[in-house]
Each structure stands twice: as structure tokens, then as C-alpha cells.
Amino acid sequence: MTEPRYDVIAIGNAIVDIMAPSDDATIERLSLNKGGMTLVDAEGARRLYDAMGPAKEISGGSAANTLAGLAALGAKCAFIGQVADDQFGKVFAHDIRAGGIDFDTPVRSEAEPPTAQCLIFVTPDAQRTMNTFLGASQYLPAAALDEDAIAAAKVLYLEGYLWDPEEPRAAMRRAIGAARAAGREVAFTLSEVFVIDRHGDDFRQLIEEGLIDVLFANHTELEALTGTSDFEAGISALHGKVPTLVVTRSAEGAVAVRGGERAEVPAVPTTVVDTTGAGDLFAAGFLYGHVRGEALETCLKRGAICAAEIISHYGARPEADLKALMAEKLG
């Protein structure tokens, strides 16, 4: 096996986040799914944008957020995702490359649909209500994959959100094959319960076939995937099928199981401002330790530190020096 060029290469939605403070009355008036993620069409995106107050725009997308955290920690990363040849597409490409992440996916030249957007309403209780227009991101073709880059990464990281559209789902299946053929690991994040409701059979089949090496879930996603509300029973249901299972539990911390080893860590205390990207950055911290062969507990601690940083401010990209935070918290 050749020496890897990247620590992690990820495939995910290439999205520009549009975030604005909100209140519960607005969430109710607009009939939004508070604290969840809902897919909207172009008309719905325009309607919600018009209903927003002053907003902040920043490149996002779950897997891209994870890479931003990894790159900030010093990892070598690359991203595969589809943007259109428009203003938001240029913003996304600039932001991700400025973060030190390789991004060479050819732009989609067609005028429609435009680059994806996620309209996020943040209420005073720090809950983020996400409304995602997938736009160009759901048209990522298998032909756009750089299979040499996939083979040159220690870990291929896949975003569950992108499993929903047919074209990128086929691309990710092909990417899994390329990673496997090169002897690389595949990591997968379940993303959201609605994704499991729609594609849980696919995910369970990938797990049964031994195609997932590292699985990320939160406690509600674990319940949806395994069909049991008993947390320990859910862990047991996947034990032995996934080499490394990582489950976050919000304020209760996180658990990871690898082979016969189990580790648990509490959440890192912080002032919660916005929970957007908490799971994404937890995955960043964990994977940073994982690709370096660190102890399971250390990987979890890194994830908890990154998650605490991201929820202490608006937006899903790190603002503090993550390297300095690691040095301070881990010693």
C-alpha cells in the first residue's frame, strides 16, 4: 500500500449556510421543524430567506464542516462535492480552499439548479432549525470522483445527508469500492433520523457487508437505525458489525466502542450559543485522533473539545485555535 497523501477525503453536500437569529413564534408561524433539518425546494428556500432577519452567510455542509475542523487541527484533507457556476459556488470553493482543503470537483455549468443553500433559524435556546435546498449538490455524478485521491486517503468520510439523492448515492457507492480496493477505511455519519427513515435498509446492508469501518451517530439516530430505544441494546446491536462505533449523547457526552474496548467521555462545559455543526466537529476531533492511532478515549476527548468550541458561537466552522485548545485541554 502506498503512503497516503491525505488523512481524510470526504464526500458531502457543498452548501452555503445562511444563518439568522429567530424566535419560537417565527418557527411556529412558518411551520418549521424546530431543531431538525427539513429539505425544501427552490421556492421554499426563497420564501424562508424572505422571512429571515439579518443573516450571516458562510460555507457549510456536514462533511465540509468536519474537514474544516480536521484541517484546523493540522490534518491533510480533500473534499468532493458539487457546486454550480454561480456566486454561491465561488464563495464555497474559495472558503474551503482557504481552509487548506483540496477541492477540485468540476463545477456544474448548467444555470439551474444553483449552488445549495441551508437556511438556519437559531432560537435563543441555541436550537438550530435547518431548511436545506440541495440545489446543485444533489447532482454529483460518479464521473466527478477522483478515485486516485480516494485511494490516497487514509479514510473516506461519507455524509448520510447526501445519500438521499440518487446520483450522489451512486457516486458514494463507487467511492466505497475505490477506497476498499485501495485498502483504506470508510467512515460514515448517519446525519439525521429522516435520512435513516428513508434509507435505513441501505445503511444496515452496508454495515452487514462490512463496508463501514467507523460509524458516527447520535442517540436518536442509533435508535432509528437499530429499532430500540434502549441505548445499551442499540450499542450491542451494532457491536461486532462495525469496527468502530461512535455515539454522541448531547449534554451527556459520548461513547465509543472498538472491538472489545469501550470508552466514554462527558461533554466539555461551555456556554451554548448555537448547536449547528456540533456532530460535524465532534467527528473532526475524533477522526484526527483516529488517523493517528490514538487511544479511543483520547479520540473522544478531541471530539468533545471540538464540539464544545463550535457550539459556543454562531456557525459551523471553528473560530478558536483548535490546536491551542487541544494543547490546553489534553496537555
Side-chain angles (χ1 to χ4, degrees):
M1 186 185 302
T2 59
E3 186 67 20
R5 177 164 31 122
Y6 298 113
D7 292 307
V8 179
I9 188 168
I11 301 177
N13 283 309
I15 297 178
V16 174
D17 289 341
I18 304 168
M19 305 181 63
S22 184
D23 54 33
D24 288 327
T26 300
I27 300 295
E28 184 175 352
R29 176 172 58 83
L30 296 172
S31 300
L32 303 182
N33 175 26
K34 183 178 177 180
M37 199 287 285
T38 304
L39 295 176
V40 298
D41 57 17
E43 181 180 349
R46 284 191 293 268
R47 177 179 64 88
L48 293 177
Y49 184 77
D50 290 342
M52 277 183 149
K56 177 181 180 181
E57 297 174 357
I58 185 171
S59 295
S62 177
N65 292 337
T66 297
L67 291 188
L70 277 159
L73 288 167
K76 297 178 180 178
C77 302
F79 180 72
I80 298 172
Q82 189 67 67
V83 298
D85 187 12
D86 57 17
Q87 180 180 351
F88 279 143
K90 291 179 175 65
V91 168
F92 181 90
H94 172 270
D95 284 356
I96 199 163
R97 290 170 182 153
I101 300 163
D102 286 353
F103 175 53
D104 299 313
T105 308
V107 299
R108 180 176 167 86
S109 59
E110 287 85 348
E112 293 292 337
T115 297
Q117 301 142 49
C118 184
L119 299 102
I120 305 172
F121 294 74
V122 184
T123 43
D125 58 2
Q127 287 293 307
R128 80 285 185 271
T129 299
M130 301 187 295
N131 304 273
T132 303
F133 168 56
L134 290 171
S137 69
Q138 62 186 324
Y139 294 97
L140 175 71
L145 297 179
D146 184 340
E147 295 192 33
D148 289 338
I150 293 170
K154 292 180 182 178
V155 175
L156 168 67
Y157 180 71
L158 302 174
E159 172 186 329
Y161 283 131
L162 198 57
W163 199 265
D164 201 51
E166 180 178 353
E167 198 165 10
R169 182 165 66 248
M172 287 195 285
R173 286 189 180 278
R174 180 166 166 177
I176 290 172
R180 282 292 179 196
R184 306 304 190 186
E185 285 190 303
V186 176
F188 195 96
T189 177
L190 292 171
S191 294
E192 181 74 48
V193 168
F194 93 88
V195 182
I196 301 169
D197 290 342
R198 295 166 70 136
H199 302 289
D201 287 345
D202 277 357
F203 300 160
R204 286 182 280 270
Q205 182 178 358
L206 291 174
I207 291 168
E208 291 291 339
E209 293 176 1
L211 297 178
I212 305 300
D213 299 290
V214 184
L215 181 67
F216 291 94
N218 63 30
H219 62 286
T220 58
E221 292 158 4
L222 178 70
E223 178 180 342
L225 184 69
T226 62
T228 176
S229 59
D230 184 301
F231 182 77
E232 293 301 330
I235 294 286
S236 296
L238 295 176
H239 183 67
K241 297 180 179 180
V242 179
T244 302
L245 172 65
V246 184
V247 185
T248 57
R249 307 180 77 180
S250 299
E252 296 182 45
V255 176
V257 180
R258 182 169 60 200
E261 180 185 6
R262 176 177 172 135
E264 300 185 36
V265 300
V268 173
T270 189
T271 300
V272 181
V273 174
D274 169 26
T275 56
T276 306
D280 303 337
L281 268 292
F282 191 99
F286 186 93
L287 286 172
Y288 182 80
H290 178 76
V291 297
R292 280 155 181 76
E294 294 180 343
L296 197 60
E297 184 177 3
T298 302
C299 295
L300 284 175
K301 287 180 178 178
R302 289 190 183 277
I305 292 167
C306 288
E309 190 282 334
I310 213 68
I311 64 176
S312 69
H313 58 79
Y314 284 115
R317 299 290 172 94
E319 293 184 354
D321 184 333
L322 293 186
K323 291 181 181 179
L325 276 178
M326 292 298 170
E328 175 191 342
K329 301 289 186 181
L330 293 179

